[in-house]
Amino acid sequence: MNTILTVSMSVEKEASIYPISKRIAVLDILRGFALFGIFMVNAEIMNCVFMNQDTFSQQWTTPIDRLAVRVQQFFFYGKFFPIFSFLFGVGISIQFLSLKRKGISMTFFYRRMGALFLFGIGHILFLWSGDVIHLYALLGLCILFLIRWKPKNLLLLAGCIFLFPFYNTIFEWVLSTTGYQPESYLANYKPDDIVQVIREGSYRDGMGLRIQEYKSNVAVLFLSLMPIAFAMFILGLTIGKKGWLQDIDKWIQQIKKPVLWIAVLSNIYRVFFLFFLWETAIWKAPFWRDTFIYLMHICDTLMALFYVWLIVYLYQYRFWKKILSPLQYAGRMALTNYLLQSAIGLFIFSSIGLHWYQTLSPSQTIGLAIVVFMVQVLLSKLWLQFFKFGPLEWVWRCISYWKVLGIRKGD
């Protein structure tokens, strides 16, 4: 316990308390923005699982659907998971400062991550196999070992994790060493079987499919997504420790030129990758194809960080502040809305609801995601007029503090 308190004290020395109202507005707007982008991608996967996507996508040839696919590829794929991870790291740094100020035991943090892990497992079993919050919970505990690190060392570590080029090699080594065969878990499901289970099967059948989907994707989750998430966690933690949040307007202006140059250069490569590279002879060579994909992942993550910078930069101006502010309502209830999106997707696409699995075109899927998110923003605003927290945020806080807390405003 003394070690943990020393850790918290070292964090407090490096960053003063950020103005609460401003911090919450900016971070919650970013969380709302990330929720929107995540659902734009997830809705497409809910409409057609990875196993069926190649065949399913071939039927959509209209100009609007081709445009919808390009919009997803250029603006959404690979961009919003890093944003959510980055914000989680920022949140952890703020929580450590808060725990120290309030004199709360670090057991709070362990319960908080444990509860988040259970939320994630429940999400996989009952709603959707593509959960990431159980991964966040595990990485959140790993962050404990880095709290005492100096910011420059944290940045170096984040860069090494992010740029490390041999995750595919490690992935193949793990599979060969352990004998783990991800493809075996869906071997008994043909594409038509998946359509049948999701559209017409029982809820129990759907749960069985979700478990097998998760088991088939777990290696990719922990060897592909986890490094990016952990690097973004560490970057967010570093920003919190540096105290940049307490003078964010000045900091955003100072990094304007390098951020814009990085955005321009990374997008030049992304345009080349998406619109020209696939038709070249060099793309067919495995080594170069893997290299190009590796560079694309880097550029997508850089684009995600550009989105963060852009939202905060625009928020300084009255017009854009008015446009962006509604996002904070969804962001303040990020956990509730994240799981609610999966529940809505389950209802829309599966046998317990509308049976729409593999019936929506890419453009219709985008439209659906926009409408669902707009409804979430409105419902979140209405809820927060009467309550201090979202329903799952309240449950999470009660478990973290290990007592029943008031949820109504005025309690």
Side-chain angles (χ1 to χ4, degrees), residues 233-255:
F233 272 31
I234 296 170
L235 181 60
L237 176 66
T238 304
I239 287 178
K241 292 190 68 176
K242 290 284 287 185
W244 290 345
L245 294 176
Q246 75 177 330
D247 197 9
I248 195 168
D249 294 345
K250 180 181 178 181
W251 174 69
I252 285 295
Q253 291 289 349
Q254 287 178 341
I255 64 172

PDB file of all heavy atoms in Angstrom, residues 233-255:
ATOM      1  N   PHE A 233      -2.830   3.783 -24.560  1.00  0.00           N
ATOM      2  CA  PHE A 233      -2.975   3.927 -23.103  1.00  0.00           C
ATOM      3  C   PHE A 233      -1.798   4.727 -22.546  1.00  0.00           C
ATOM      4  O   PHE A 233      -1.970   5.676 -21.768  1.00  0.00           O
ATOM      5  CB  PHE A 233      -2.972   2.549 -22.430  1.00  0.00           C
ATOM      6  CG  PHE A 233      -4.315   1.897 -22.321  1.00  0.00           C
ATOM      7  CD1 PHE A 233      -5.299   2.114 -23.262  1.00  0.00           C
ATOM      8  CD2 PHE A 233      -4.595   1.038 -21.276  1.00  0.00           C
ATOM      9  CE1 PHE A 233      -6.529   1.500 -23.165  1.00  0.00           C
ATOM     10  CE2 PHE A 233      -5.825   0.423 -21.161  1.00  0.00           C
ATOM     11  CZ  PHE A 233      -6.793   0.647 -22.111  1.00  0.00           C
ATOM     12  N   ILE A 234      -0.596   4.296 -22.923  1.00  0.00           N
ATOM     13  CA  ILE A 234       0.612   4.914 -22.377  1.00  0.00           C
ATOM     14  C   ILE A 234       0.716   6.371 -22.833  1.00  0.00           C
ATOM     15  O   ILE A 234       1.108   7.254 -22.060  1.00  0.00           O
ATOM     16  CB  ILE A 234       1.854   4.115 -22.801  1.00  0.00           C
ATOM     17  CG1 ILE A 234       1.801   2.709 -22.201  1.00  0.00           C
ATOM     18  CG2 ILE A 234       3.130   4.818 -22.368  1.00  0.00           C
ATOM     19  CD1 ILE A 234       2.850   1.763 -22.749  1.00  0.00           C
ATOM     20  N   LEU A 235       0.355   6.641 -24.083  1.00  0.00           N
ATOM     21  CA  LEU A 235       0.367   8.017 -24.573  1.00  0.00           C
ATOM     22  C   LEU A 235      -0.618   8.879 -23.786  1.00  0.00           C
ATOM     23  O   LEU A 235      -0.288  10.010 -23.392  1.00  0.00           O
ATOM     24  CB  LEU A 235       0.017   8.043 -26.060  1.00  0.00           C
ATOM     25  CG  LEU A 235       0.019   9.419 -26.729  1.00  0.00           C
ATOM     26  CD1 LEU A 235       1.390  10.076 -26.628  1.00  0.00           C
ATOM     27  CD2 LEU A 235      -0.426   9.299 -28.195  1.00  0.00           C
ATOM     28  N   GLY A 236      -1.810   8.361 -23.546  1.00  0.00           N
ATOM     29  CA  GLY A 236      -2.790   9.100 -22.751  1.00  0.00           C
ATOM     30  C   GLY A 236      -2.311   9.329 -21.328  1.00  0.00           C
ATOM     31  O   GLY A 236      -2.493  10.417 -20.757  1.00  0.00           O
ATOM     32  N   LEU A 237      -1.693   8.305 -20.742  1.00  0.00           N
ATOM     33  CA  LEU A 237      -1.134   8.436 -19.393  1.00  0.00           C
ATOM     34  C   LEU A 237      -0.057   9.514 -19.359  1.00  0.00           C
ATOM     35  O   LEU A 237       0.015  10.310 -18.414  1.00  0.00           O
ATOM     36  CB  LEU A 237      -0.549   7.092 -18.956  1.00  0.00           C
ATOM     37  CG  LEU A 237       0.168   7.044 -17.615  1.00  0.00           C
ATOM     38  CD1 LEU A 237      -0.800   7.292 -16.464  1.00  0.00           C
ATOM     39  CD2 LEU A 237       0.879   5.696 -17.433  1.00  0.00           C
ATOM     40  N   THR A 238       0.774   9.545 -20.385  1.00  0.00           N
ATOM     41  CA  THR A 238       1.855  10.537 -20.453  1.00  0.00           C
ATOM     42  C   THR A 238       1.307  11.954 -20.492  1.00  0.00           C
ATOM     43  O   THR A 238       1.797  12.845 -19.782  1.00  0.00           O
ATOM     44  CB  THR A 238       2.716  10.292 -21.703  1.00  0.00           C
ATOM     45  OG1 THR A 238       3.210   8.951 -21.683  1.00  0.00           O
ATOM     46  CG2 THR A 238       3.882  11.263 -21.750  1.00  0.00           C
ATOM     47  N   ILE A 239       0.287  12.165 -21.297  1.00  0.00           N
ATOM     48  CA  ILE A 239      -0.311  13.505 -21.392  1.00  0.00           C
ATOM     49  C   ILE A 239      -0.899  13.927 -20.053  1.00  0.00           C
ATOM     50  O   ILE A 239      -0.768  15.077 -19.630  1.00  0.00           O
ATOM     51  CB  ILE A 239      -1.369  13.527 -22.511  1.00  0.00           C
ATOM     52  CG1 ILE A 239      -0.669  13.497 -23.865  1.00  0.00           C
ATOM     53  CG2 ILE A 239      -2.280  14.735 -22.392  1.00  0.00           C
ATOM     54  CD1 ILE A 239      -1.587  13.460 -25.043  1.00  0.00           C
ATOM     55  N   GLY A 240      -1.542  12.977 -19.362  1.00  0.00           N
ATOM     56  CA  GLY A 240      -2.062  13.285 -18.034  1.00  0.00           C
ATOM     57  C   GLY A 240      -0.960  13.643 -17.052  1.00  0.00           C
ATOM     58  O   GLY A 240      -1.073  14.593 -16.273  1.00  0.00           O
ATOM     59  N   LYS A 241       0.140  12.881 -17.084  1.00  0.00           N
ATOM     60  CA  LYS A 241       1.253  13.140 -16.163  1.00  0.00           C
ATOM     61  C   LYS A 241       1.965  14.455 -16.474  1.00  0.00           C
ATOM     62  O   LYS A 241       2.450  15.133 -15.569  1.00  0.00           O
ATOM     63  CB  LYS A 241       2.261  11.991 -16.215  1.00  0.00           C
ATOM     64  CG  LYS A 241       1.746  10.678 -15.659  1.00  0.00           C
ATOM     65  CD  LYS A 241       2.862   9.653 -15.511  1.00  0.00           C
ATOM     66  CE  LYS A 241       3.835  10.055 -14.433  1.00  0.00           C
ATOM     67  NZ  LYS A 241       4.878   9.047 -14.192  1.00  0.00           N
ATOM     68  N   LYS A 242       2.038  14.805 -17.747  1.00  0.00           N
ATOM     69  CA  LYS A 242       2.712  16.036 -18.143  1.00  0.00           C
ATOM     70  C   LYS A 242       1.921  17.291 -17.755  1.00  0.00           C
ATOM     71  O   LYS A 242       2.462  18.395 -17.764  1.00  0.00           O
ATOM     72  CB  LYS A 242       2.959  16.048 -19.657  1.00  0.00           C
ATOM     73  CG  LYS A 242       4.005  15.052 -20.137  1.00  0.00           C
ATOM     74  CD  LYS A 242       5.413  15.536 -19.827  1.00  0.00           C
ATOM     75  CE  LYS A 242       5.829  16.666 -20.733  1.00  0.00           C
ATOM     76  NZ  LYS A 242       7.256  17.047 -20.510  1.00  0.00           N
ATOM     77  N   GLY A 243       0.641  17.118 -17.437  1.00  0.00           N
ATOM     78  CA  GLY A 243      -0.180  18.263 -17.077  1.00  0.00           C
ATOM     79  C   GLY A 243      -0.650  19.070 -18.272  1.00  0.00           C
ATOM     80  O   GLY A 243      -1.100  20.210 -18.117  1.00  0.00           O
ATOM     81  N   TRP A 244      -0.576  18.497 -19.474  1.00  0.00           N
ATOM     82  CA  TRP A 244      -0.970  19.238 -20.674  1.00  0.00           C
ATOM     83  C   TRP A 244      -2.463  19.551 -20.688  1.00  0.00           C
ATOM     84  O   TRP A 244      -2.900  20.476 -21.364  1.00  0.00           O
ATOM     85  CB  TRP A 244      -0.601  18.447 -21.923  1.00  0.00           C
ATOM     86  CG  TRP A 244       0.886  18.393 -22.138  1.00  0.00           C
ATOM     87  CD1 TRP A 244       1.824  19.180 -21.531  1.00  0.00           C
ATOM     88  CD2 TRP A 244       1.599  17.524 -23.015  1.00  0.00           C
ATOM     89  NE1 TRP A 244       3.087  18.853 -21.958  1.00  0.00           N
ATOM     90  CE2 TRP A 244       2.990  17.828 -22.882  1.00  0.00           C
ATOM     91  CE3 TRP A 244       1.243  16.519 -23.887  1.00  0.00           C
ATOM     92  CZ2 TRP A 244       3.983  17.175 -23.597  1.00  0.00           C
ATOM     93  CZ3 TRP A 244       2.226  15.857 -24.603  1.00  0.00           C
ATOM     94  CH2 TRP A 244       3.574  16.188 -24.456  1.00  0.00           C
ATOM     95  N   LEU A 245      -3.253  18.773 -19.935  1.00  0.00           N
ATOM     96  CA  LEU A 245      -4.693  19.003 -19.945  1.00  0.00           C
ATOM     97  C   LEU A 245      -5.076  20.321 -19.286  1.00  0.00           C
ATOM     98  O   LEU A 245      -6.137  20.866 -19.577  1.00  0.00           O
ATOM     99  CB  LEU A 245      -5.412  17.850 -19.225  1.00  0.00           C
ATOM    100  CG  LEU A 245      -5.327  16.482 -19.903  1.00  0.00           C
ATOM    101  CD1 LEU A 245      -5.982  15.431 -19.031  1.00  0.00           C
ATOM    102  CD2 LEU A 245      -5.976  16.509 -21.271  1.00  0.00           C
ATOM    103  N   GLN A 246      -4.241  20.827 -18.418  1.00  0.00           N
ATOM    104  CA  GLN A 246      -4.641  22.041 -17.716  1.00  0.00           C
ATOM    105  C   GLN A 246      -4.403  23.301 -18.549  1.00  0.00           C
ATOM    106  O   GLN A 246      -4.855  24.374 -18.192  1.00  0.00           O
ATOM    107  CB  GLN A 246      -3.907  22.164 -16.376  1.00  0.00           C
ATOM    108  CG  GLN A 246      -2.464  22.570 -16.461  1.00  0.00           C
ATOM    109  CD  GLN A 246      -1.860  22.726 -15.081  1.00  0.00           C
ATOM    110  OE1 GLN A 246      -2.547  23.063 -14.126  1.00  0.00           O
ATOM    111  NE2 GLN A 246      -0.584  22.454 -14.967  1.00  0.00           N
ATOM    112  N   ASP A 247      -3.694  23.178 -19.669  1.00  0.00           N
ATOM    113  CA  ASP A 247      -3.522  24.306 -20.578  1.00  0.00           C
ATOM    114  C   ASP A 247      -3.657  23.800 -22.009  1.00  0.00           C
ATOM    115  O   ASP A 247      -2.814  24.037 -22.867  1.00  0.00           O
ATOM    116  CB  ASP A 247      -2.149  24.959 -20.355  1.00  0.00           C
ATOM    117  CG  ASP A 247      -2.075  26.350 -20.955  1.00  0.00           C
ATOM    118  OD1 ASP A 247      -3.140  26.857 -21.393  1.00  0.00           O
ATOM    119  OD2 ASP A 247      -0.979  26.925 -21.007  1.00  0.00           O
ATOM    120  N   ILE A 248      -4.747  23.130 -22.251  1.00  0.00           N
ATOM    121  CA  ILE A 248      -4.894  22.372 -23.496  1.00  0.00           C
ATOM    122  C   ILE A 248      -4.987  23.270 -24.717  1.00  0.00           C
ATOM    123  O   ILE A 248      -4.503  22.931 -25.795  1.00  0.00           O
ATOM    124  CB  ILE A 248      -6.115  21.423 -23.406  1.00  0.00           C
ATOM    125  CG1 ILE A 248      -6.046  20.373 -24.523  1.00  0.00           C
ATOM    126  CG2 ILE A 248      -7.424  22.185 -23.423  1.00  0.00           C
ATOM    127  CD1 ILE A 248      -7.029  19.247 -24.348  1.00  0.00           C
ATOM    128  N   ASP A 249      -5.595  24.449 -24.579  1.00  0.00           N
ATOM    129  CA  ASP A 249      -5.727  25.349 -25.729  1.00  0.00           C
ATOM    130  C   ASP A 249      -4.357  25.779 -26.243  1.00  0.00           C
ATOM    131  O   ASP A 249      -4.094  25.795 -27.454  1.00  0.00           O
ATOM    132  CB  ASP A 249      -6.553  26.578 -25.338  1.00  0.00           C
ATOM    133  CG  ASP A 249      -8.002  26.227 -25.023  1.00  0.00           C
ATOM    134  OD1 ASP A 249      -8.420  25.101 -25.383  1.00  0.00           O
ATOM    135  OD2 ASP A 249      -8.705  27.057 -24.441  1.00  0.00           O
ATOM    136  N   LYS A 250      -3.461  26.136 -25.337  1.00  0.00           N
ATOM    137  CA  LYS A 250      -2.114  26.551 -25.713  1.00  0.00           C
ATOM    138  C   LYS A 250      -1.344  25.390 -26.329  1.00  0.00           C
ATOM    139  O   LYS A 250      -0.651  25.552 -27.347  1.00  0.00           O
ATOM    140  CB  LYS A 250      -1.384  27.091 -24.487  1.00  0.00           C
ATOM    141  CG  LYS A 250       0.041  27.547 -24.766  1.00  0.00           C
ATOM    142  CD  LYS A 250       0.696  28.055 -23.486  1.00  0.00           C
ATOM    143  CE  LYS A 250       2.142  28.467 -23.737  1.00  0.00           C
ATOM    144  NZ  LYS A 250       2.787  28.940 -22.477  1.00  0.00           N
ATOM    145  N   TRP A 251      -1.463  24.223 -25.712  1.00  0.00           N
ATOM    146  CA  TRP A 251      -0.744  23.038 -26.193  1.00  0.00           C
ATOM    147  C   TRP A 251      -1.207  22.640 -27.595  1.00  0.00           C
ATOM    148  O   TRP A 251      -0.387  22.312 -28.465  1.00  0.00           O
ATOM    149  CB  TRP A 251      -0.959  21.893 -25.210  1.00  0.00           C
ATOM    150  CG  TRP A 251      -0.395  20.594 -25.642  1.00  0.00           C
ATOM    151  CD1 TRP A 251       0.918  20.273 -25.753  1.00  0.00           C
ATOM    152  CD2 TRP A 251      -1.123  19.425 -26.052  1.00  0.00           C
ATOM    153  NE1 TRP A 251       1.062  18.976 -26.184  1.00  0.00           N
ATOM    154  CE2 TRP A 251      -0.173  18.434 -26.376  1.00  0.00           C
ATOM    155  CE3 TRP A 251      -2.469  19.120 -26.152  1.00  0.00           C
ATOM    156  CZ2 TRP A 251      -0.552  17.178 -26.808  1.00  0.00           C
ATOM    157  CZ3 TRP A 251      -2.849  17.860 -26.583  1.00  0.00           C
ATOM    158  CH2 TRP A 251      -1.890  16.915 -26.903  1.00  0.00           C
ATOM    159  N   ILE A 252      -2.520  22.713 -27.837  1.00  0.00           N
ATOM    160  CA  ILE A 252      -3.069  22.369 -29.147  1.00  0.00           C
ATOM    161  C   ILE A 252      -2.528  23.309 -30.227  1.00  0.00           C
ATOM    162  O   ILE A 252      -2.209  22.895 -31.345  1.00  0.00           O
ATOM    163  CB  ILE A 252      -4.616  22.414 -29.094  1.00  0.00           C
ATOM    164  CG1 ILE A 252      -5.153  21.185 -28.352  1.00  0.00           C
ATOM    165  CG2 ILE A 252      -5.212  22.493 -30.493  1.00  0.00           C
ATOM    166  CD1 ILE A 252      -4.873  19.874 -29.037  1.00  0.00           C
ATOM    167  N   GLN A 253      -2.408  24.579 -29.892  1.00  0.00           N
ATOM    168  CA  GLN A 253      -1.866  25.541 -30.854  1.00  0.00           C
ATOM    169  C   GLN A 253      -0.383  25.276 -31.124  1.00  0.00           C
ATOM    170  O   GLN A 253       0.086  25.406 -32.257  1.00  0.00           O
ATOM    171  CB  GLN A 253      -2.063  26.968 -30.326  1.00  0.00           C
ATOM    172  CG  GLN A 253      -3.512  27.441 -30.287  1.00  0.00           C
ATOM    173  CD  GLN A 253      -4.093  27.708 -31.675  1.00  0.00           C
ATOM    174  OE1 GLN A 253      -3.366  27.742 -32.661  1.00  0.00           O
ATOM    175  NE2 GLN A 253      -5.401  27.890 -31.736  1.00  0.00           N
ATOM    176  N   GLN A 254       0.358  24.922 -30.107  1.00  0.00           N
ATOM    177  CA  GLN A 254       1.797  24.724 -30.250  1.00  0.00           C
ATOM    178  C   GLN A 254       2.148  23.573 -31.184  1.00  0.00           C
ATOM    179  O   GLN A 254       3.171  23.614 -31.876  1.00  0.00           O
ATOM    180  CB  GLN A 254       2.436  24.492 -28.880  1.00  0.00           C
ATOM    181  CG  GLN A 254       2.531  25.744 -28.027  1.00  0.00           C
ATOM    182  CD  GLN A 254       3.137  25.460 -26.664  1.00  0.00           C
ATOM    183  OE1 GLN A 254       3.165  24.308 -26.210  1.00  0.00           O
ATOM    184  NE2 GLN A 254       3.610  26.508 -25.999  1.00  0.00           N
ATOM    185  N   ILE A 255       1.322  22.538 -31.197  1.00  0.00           N
ATOM    186  CA  ILE A 255       1.636  21.370 -32.026  1.00  0.00           C
ATOM    187  C   ILE A 255       0.906  21.397 -33.363  1.00  0.00           C
ATOM    188  O   ILE A 255       0.899  20.403 -34.093  1.00  0.00           O
ATOM    189  CB  ILE A 255       1.309  20.057 -31.286  1.00  0.00           C
ATOM    190  CG1 ILE A 255      -0.196  19.943 -31.018  1.00  0.00           C
ATOM    191  CG2 ILE A 255       2.107  19.949 -29.994  1.00  0.00           C
ATOM    192  CD1 ILE A 255      -0.599  18.594 -30.461  1.00  0.00           C
TER     193      ILE A 255
END
